[in-house]
Amino acid sequence: MIVWMVIAAVVFLALLFRNPHFFQDVQYVRDKIQARRRVLKYKQTNYSILDRFLEAVKAQPHKPFILFNDETFTYQDADELSNKAARVFLHNGLVKEGDTVALFLRNEPMFLWLWLGLVKIGCNAAFLNYNIRSKSLFHCFSRSGAKTLVAAEELHNAVEEVLPSLLEQQVTVFILADRCRTGNMESFKDKMSQASSEPLSKDLRSHLTLQSPAAYIYTSGTTGLPKAAVVSHVKLWSLACSMSMAGVTSEDVLFISLPLYHTTGFLGFISVIERGNTLALRSKFSASQFWDDCRKYNVTVIMFIGEMMRYLCNTPKKPNDQSHKVRLAIGSGVRADVWRYFITRFGNVQIKEVYGATEGNFSLLNYTGKIGAVGRDTFLNKWVFPYAVIKFDTEKGTPLRDSSGLCIEAAKGEPGLLVSEISTRAPFAGYVRDLQQTEKKRLHDVFKKGDLYFNTGDLLCIDEDNFIYFKDRVGDTFRWKGENVATTEVADIITLLDCIKEANVYGVEVPGQEGRAGMATVTLSEAQRFDPADVFKHVVSFLPAYARPCFLRIQSSLDITSTFKHMKVKLVEEGFNPNQMTDPLYFLDEKNKNYVPLTVDIFNSVTSGKIRI
């Protein structure tokens, strides 16, 4: 017996010596297992995030729930205002159980009252990106299946642009204004001010289960226009639990300046309900005002994306940079150099990098604090939550397979495609009304015939010490300014111009910048000349700022594959360096509102950071 105890002790010490993060690894997997059990329990009892919110209202009615500008809304205020919103939807049977309502507004408390109100009557919401316009806006609305749209007053013109198409589909359009200036729209605020704030019957949502959709959050996939990912009520619990695992407590004040239509922003709101704490909300991120807001609201936890952190680091230094109460930053996409500078300049803020996807069934958390990593690869984690990094052919855009037709795990240090097993314990709900795109995210016969894995579309790398690092996105999507840009959508918009015959859109690396800047290589239509001012006006009118190509390249023809797909790899490698090509190059000059010739001087200014894009 003693001998076996000695052997066990030796083995344990050997493991500990080889892996100094052993205890953290075990703790992380244990926390994930406990969180999954907790979610399963809620699923069995049909206990939703809304139920948690209503319990908080009873337990702490006067506790601050939302801080916005100079206003404070308590838990009781939120309950009553969401009751009013729900009654507007119920009026004259406008919205029925199970319906979807599209929300098209910026960050404001009304966004939250609307969502809570919809869930109270057994409905869900589609979160429309307030940057989209025209074709993209109508596509996203139509894909949701909604027959009701609620839009912010400042987005009135964007709605008016697609109003004829909405009216054709007999859509009811509400504007969040006291009075409407367009006859075919109704004022929501006016109706809400007259509605009762009394509690609603639970019977209105009796049909809901935790498998029911709670929201549709749009994500740019590998091709085409944005897709609506189904976020169920059980998924909300999983997201909320990830925040508690990251260290958020009931005493924290959490700050959100990211869009609520974005998963990261909405996740922050859901976690506040789960923890019973306070949310400080800003209408739009401001690097110059960020720390003043943190001091104003006594913020202790912030949500971030990598680009946001870089913007903060680029602000002029101030004597009070470390005068704040922020102790924890949770988010994704922060570069290692930005991470180091951030904590050096702004103080002892613990950064928790999270990896995941809106529609995904798998997530990672950098629980060790290793700068630049998104998590750790451990046998225990992989055994309980099966995933793998597999070899990927970036030229063909498909996983590499062996002679048996099965996928091959990538070697240590080799970038590969992250995949996670789809099962009853880790489901993949897919995209609303888009079976084709849903199927594209499923990988069959990965490690054995008949198995099924979720294709994250991301290249990751595992180093010799088992830390996992995000490398890049695959397919026809790149990330810029914290948003996913679908290249096919941008190309479709560009080719609406008379002078453009074809367009191949891709992302290129810019020194010192997060993600990839948009670039389009185009061919011109016969007998047409390139009109840079007209092109600038067009992309500004039809594309959000993050999707506008920063660089244009004109060629006589575009290289395509045997299946008529545009070839991007060589173009991406060549980038936008005028010293390495003879093709005409243009630069998106926001200041002069034009596409101007990309000279060597402009190139040097962009790559050195003198010109910021």
Side-chain angles (χ1 to χ4, degrees):
M1 185 68 177
I2 296 176
V3 173
W4 282 110
M5 290 177 65
V6 172
I7 292 173
V10 170
V11 171
F12 174 75
L13 289 171
L15 287 171
L16 191 58
F17 179 74
R18 289 181 59 190
N19 177 15
H21 302 286
F22 176 76
F23 289 116
Q24 289 173 298
D25 293 340
V26 173
Q27 179 68 45
Y28 172 66
V29 175
R30 191 182 76 171
D31 288 347
K32 286 186 76 172
I33 292 172
Q34 289 177 343
R36 188 164 70 180
R37 286 175 178 167
R38 184 177 160 206
V39 172
L40 180 60
K41 178 183 175 182
Y42 293 154
K43 188 177 175 182
Q44 291 170 339
T45 57
N46 211 31
Y47 180 72
S48 69
I49 283 286
L50 177 63
D51 294 321
R52 173 60 63 86
F53 169 73
L54 294 174
E55 284 183 358
V57 172
K58 289 181 180 179
Q60 48 188 34
H62 305 300
K63 180 173 181 175
F65 180 45
I66 305 294
L67 309 176
F68 182 74
N69 293 335
D70 294 321
E71 294 182 284
T72 297
F73 298 91
T74 66
Y75 274 79
Q76 182 172 297
D77 292 335
D79 186 38
E80 293 176 351
L81 288 164
S82 58
N83 287 342
K84 283 174 165 283
R87 282 197 160 80
V88 177
F89 290 125
L90 287 174
H91 185 65
N92 293 331
L94 175 67
V95 176
K96 301 179 291 297
E97 66 176 41
D99 282 356
T100 300
V101 173
L103 306 183
F104 187 47
L105 55 155
R106 301 181 189 276
N107 283 14
E108 57 176 292
M110 182 65 82
F111 187 112
L112 309 176
W113 315 153
L114 292 170
W115 181 79
L116 286 168
L118 286 168
V119 178
K120 285 181 176 182
I121 60 175
C123 298
N124 73 302
F127 299 161
L128 303 182
N129 180 336
Y130 54 69
N131 293 295
I132 58 176
R133 297 292 184 273
S134 187
K135 178 183 175 182
S136 292
L137 174 58
F138 184 67
H139 163 85
C140 290
F141 176 84
S142 300
R143 188 51 56 93
S144 73
K147 288 298 181 182
T148 304
L149 171 67
V150 182
E153 185 174 13
E154 66 268 23
L155 296 172
H156 181 280
N157 292 339
V159 176
E160 236 179 358
E161 188 179 358
V162 296
L163 189 59
S165 300
L166 294 174
L167 294 177
E168 279 182 18
Q169 294 189 4
Q170 298 182 318
V171 174
T172 301
V173 180
F174 285 110
I175 294 294
L176 291 170
D178 295 324
R179 154 179 333 176
C180 253
R181 64 174 188 263
T182 301
N184 292 311
M185 302 182 193
E186 300 182 50
S187 166
F188 194 91
K189 282 187 174 180
D190 179 54
K191 289 179 170 56
M192 189 170 158
S193 66
Q194 300 174 42
S196 168
S197 63
E198 290 300 306
L200 293 113
S201 170
K202 195 173 182 179
D203 292 341
L204 290 167
R205 57 182 185 277
S206 60
H207 63 285
L208 285 186
T209 70
L210 260 64
Q211 301 284 34
S212 303
Y216 298 149
I217 298 181
Y218 290 80
T219 175
S220 294
T222 54
T223 58
L225 293 162
K227 303 181 293 294
V230 181
V231 179
S232 66
H233 287 275
V234 73
K235 175 86 170 184
L236 290 184
W237 272 123
S238 297
L239 292 171
C241 288
S242 70
M243 291 288 284
S244 61
M245 285 177 60
V248 179
T249 74
S250 61
E251 301 303 314
D252 281 314
V253 176
L254 189 145
F255 183 40
I256 294 178
S257 55
L258 297 168
L260 287 168
Y261 69 73
H262 194 285
T263 305
T264 306
F266 192 63
L267 162 60
F269 167 61
I270 293 301
S271 76
V272 165
I273 293 177
E274 191 273 333
R275 297 277 85 183
N277 55 354
T278 301
L279 170 66
L281 181 68
R282 185 181 172 89
S283 58
K284 187 178 181 181
F285 170 72
S286 168
S288 61
Q289 297 296 314
F290 186 85
W291 294 110
D292 288 336
D293 285 335
C294 288
R295 285 183 278 269
K296 175 180 178 179
Y297 300 121
N298 293 314
V299 171
T300 56
V301 179
I302 62 174
M303 304 290 293
F304 72 84
I305 55 173
E307 194 73 359
M308 175 182 134
M309 301 290 264
R310 188 177 68 83
Y311 287 148
L312 291 175
C313 289
N314 285 341
T315 57
K317 287 186 177 181
K318 294 182 178 179
N320 63 345
D321 275 343
Q322 296 191 16
S323 175
H324 57 78
K325 296 181 180 179
V326 176
R327 65 176 185 84
L328 183 61
I330 304 172
S332 61
V334 61
R335 281 192 340 226
D337 58 332
V338 173
W339 186 329
R340 291 188 186 93
Y341 182 76
F342 185 91
I343 57 180
T344 299
R345 176 174 168 184
F346 298 112
N348 188 26
V349 179
Q350 188 178 20
I351 295 179
K352 291 289 183 74
E353 177 86 7
V354 179
Y355 170 84
T358 303
E359 71 276 42
N361 66 342
F362 176 76
S363 64
L364 290 166
L365 171 67
N366 182 352
Y367 50 87
T368 66
K370 176 74 170 180
I371 292 179
V374 297
R376 278 181 54 74
D377 177 56
T378 66
F379 167 77
L380 191 57
N381 192 25
K382 189 175 288 186
W383 178 58
V384 180
F385 307 94
Y387 68 92
V389 175
I390 60 176
K391 291 179 179 288
F392 187 80
D393 187 330
T394 54
E395 288 280 350
K396 296 180 179 178
T398 57
L400 287 170
R401 295 182 181 265
D402 60 21
S403 57
S404 302
L406 301 178
C407 296
I408 309 161
E409 285 207 57
K412 289 287 180 71
E414 177 186 12
L417 177 69
L418 177 67
V419 296
S420 54
E421 187 177 42
I422 298 173
S423 65
T424 54
R425 292 187 300 178
F428 165 53
Y431 306 108
V432 181
R433 295 172 179 84
D434 202 334
L435 293 177
Q436 184 180 13
Q437 291 299 329
T438 297
E439 184 56 33
K440 282 186 177 182
K441 299 298 283 185
R442 295 185 174 121
L443 274 182
H444 298 265
D445 305 331
V446 176
F447 294 118
K448 62 182 180 181
K449 297 297 181 182
D451 66 10
L452 186 62
Y453 277 70
F454 173 72
N455 176 358
T456 65
D458 293 327
L459 295 176
L460 279 78
C461 177
I462 303 171
D463 71 7
E464 293 295 334
D465 295 320
N466 293 319
F467 285 100
I468 306 175
Y469 297 86
F470 176 85
K471 288 297 180 182
D472 210 346
R473 293 182 178 270
V474 300
D476 293 331
T477 301
F478 61 91
R479 196 165 180 82
W480 182 242
K481 303 297 182 186
E483 297 280 354
N484 292 341
V485 181
T487 57
T488 304
E489 179 185 0
V490 178
D492 287 345
I493 296 296
I494 294 174
T495 51
L496 292 174
L497 283 156
D498 290 336
C499 67
I500 304 295
K501 181 181 179 181
E502 284 185 285
N504 186 1
V505 178
Y506 46 95
V508 292
E509 291 185 347
V510 179
Q513 298 275 23
E514 296 279 355
R516 293 173 181 267
M519 183 166 182
T521 294
V522 303
T523 60
L524 302 182
S525 303
E526 286 186 37
Q528 292 280 344
R529 68 180 184 84
F530 181 73
D531 185 341
D534 190 43
V535 174
F536 177 89
K537 182 179 178 181
H538 180 78
V539 299
V540 168
S541 298
F542 289 95
L543 290 170
Y546 62 82
R548 298 167 192 163
C550 298
F551 311 102
L552 290 177
R553 178 178 180 177
I554 300 176
Q555 290 188 326
S556 57
S557 63
L558 300 181
D559 292 332
I560 57 174
T561 67
S562 57
T563 54
F564 307 105
K565 293 180 180 178
H566 286 134
M567 300 178 69
K568 302 177 186 285
V569 175
K570 184 180 178 183
L571 293 173
V572 171
E573 291 175 349
E574 291 174 345
F576 57 99
N577 190 343
N579 296 304
Q580 297 180 2
M581 62 191 79
T582 57
D583 296 328
L585 293 171
Y586 288 84
F587 171 65
L588 181 69
D589 190 335
E590 298 276 6
K591 184 178 180 181
N592 293 307
K593 301 185 183 306
N594 204 351
Y595 273 98
V596 299
L598 179 55
T599 62
V600 173
D601 285 342
I602 291 177
F603 171 80
N604 290 335
S605 295
V606 170
T607 55
S608 67
K610 187 176 179 180
I611 293 179
R612 298 176 62 185
I613 61 174

